[in-house]
Amino acid sequence: MADESDTDPAPKRRRPGRAAGSGGVAAAVVLTVVTGAMDAISFLALGGVFTSVMTANLSLLGMSTASMDATLARDTAVAMAGYVVGALLSGRIVRGPRPAWRARCALTVELLALGGLWAAWAATGGHPSGGRQLGLLAVAALAMGGQSGLVRAVGPPGFSTTYLTGVLTGLLVDAARSGTVGRLSMALLGALVVGAAAGGLLVAHAARAAPALPTGLVALVLLASLTSLARDAEGRLWPHAE
């Protein structure tokens, strides 16, 4: 008789990257739309770099060195610096007791950053340049770093709403090994594409209002976190480990 571990691959084991409850899934998807929108806005209008994908920015930094492109190197460095500050700040905010309250504080910081970005962006008519462009890039990266730090600190192991290469890899490996496809992983990847498409369309056709989309969505998640729907039976706020 075969050993149970050979025929049943630990079905009760917690799967990394899984947010518990429908409220958690919705919040994860919405924040991933925010990520896609902000990456599109930053890439198309803030220097051709990303605000959440730091591994891609590292590659851009290396390429800028090889091509002697000082502007690309500067923009990449600004984005990475903003991201680092945001992640460190968010990680510090969520550290300690009362995790639900601290998570809301971290979301509030992200919302304030995006709101300030939207105001400054609108003042330029949706076409920032020079020092304003660099400043907005730093603020956008800070907001995305803050979101990454929040989810990393209080979410399930391996879970993210900003850097999703691991999510895609996990989905493909699971499909190859067991023939199953994680619905949350599919939803997150789809949300990233939808957010990027929406952000790109706004930059192209309604530039002044482009940051309104990510700002409004973060505000929606923050407001939802105040309701009982965002908490589980033990009062824990999404995202959390099961």
Side-chain angles (χ1 to χ4, degrees):
M1 181 174 179
D3 185 87
E4 183 179 355
S5 62
D6 293 331
T7 58
D8 186 5
K12 296 182 180 180
R13 182 177 57 191
R14 186 182 72 194
R15 296 175 62 84
R18 185 176 179 185
S22 59
V25 171
V29 170
V30 170
L31 289 179
T32 307
V33 173
V34 171
T35 297
M38 285 308 306
D39 274 336
I41 291 169
S42 66
F43 190 82
L44 296 173
L46 295 177
V49 298
F50 299 99
T51 53
S52 70
V53 191
M54 291 302 110
T55 48
N57 281 347
L58 285 171
S59 296
L60 290 174
L61 184 61
M63 287 186 284
S64 71
T65 303
S67 61
M68 303 297 289
D69 189 338
T71 300
L72 179 59
R74 178 201 64 192
D75 293 347
T76 304
V78 168
M80 293 181 65
Y83 184 93
V84 167
V85 171
L88 290 173
L89 178 61
S90 185
R92 183 65 184 87
I93 290 173
V94 299
R95 176 182 171 189
R98 301 178 65 192
W101 178 79
R102 290 178 175 275
R104 292 190 194 100
C105 288
L107 280 172
T108 300
V109 170
E110 180 181 0
L111 178 59
L112 290 174
L114 291 176
L117 182 148
W118 182 16
W121 172 284
T124 70
H127 301 285
S129 60
R132 285 191 176 184
Q133 183 187 69
L134 283 177
L136 291 175
L137 175 61
V139 173
L142 183 147
M144 292 298 95
Q147 182 177 309
S148 300
L150 165 64
V151 176
R152 172 70 177 178
V154 302
F159 188 72
S160 176
T161 60
T162 50
Y163 43 95
L164 298 178
T165 302
V167 173
L168 175 60
T169 303
L171 184 148
L172 295 173
V173 170
D174 286 347
R177 293 180 62 187
S178 62
T180 61
V181 176
R183 287 179 293 179
L184 176 56
S185 296
M186 288 290 292
L188 292 177
L189 293 169
L192 185 69
V193 175
V194 169
L201 287 171
L202 286 170
V203 169
H205 301 290
R208 186 186 292 270
L213 175 63
T215 304
L217 290 178
V218 172
L220 181 64
V221 173
L222 179 58
L223 289 174
S225 75
L226 300 174
T227 70
S228 60
L229 295 175
R231 295 186 293 273
D232 66 4
E234 298 179 12
R236 297 176 299 184
L237 179 67
W238 180 93
H240 61 268
E242 290 182 314

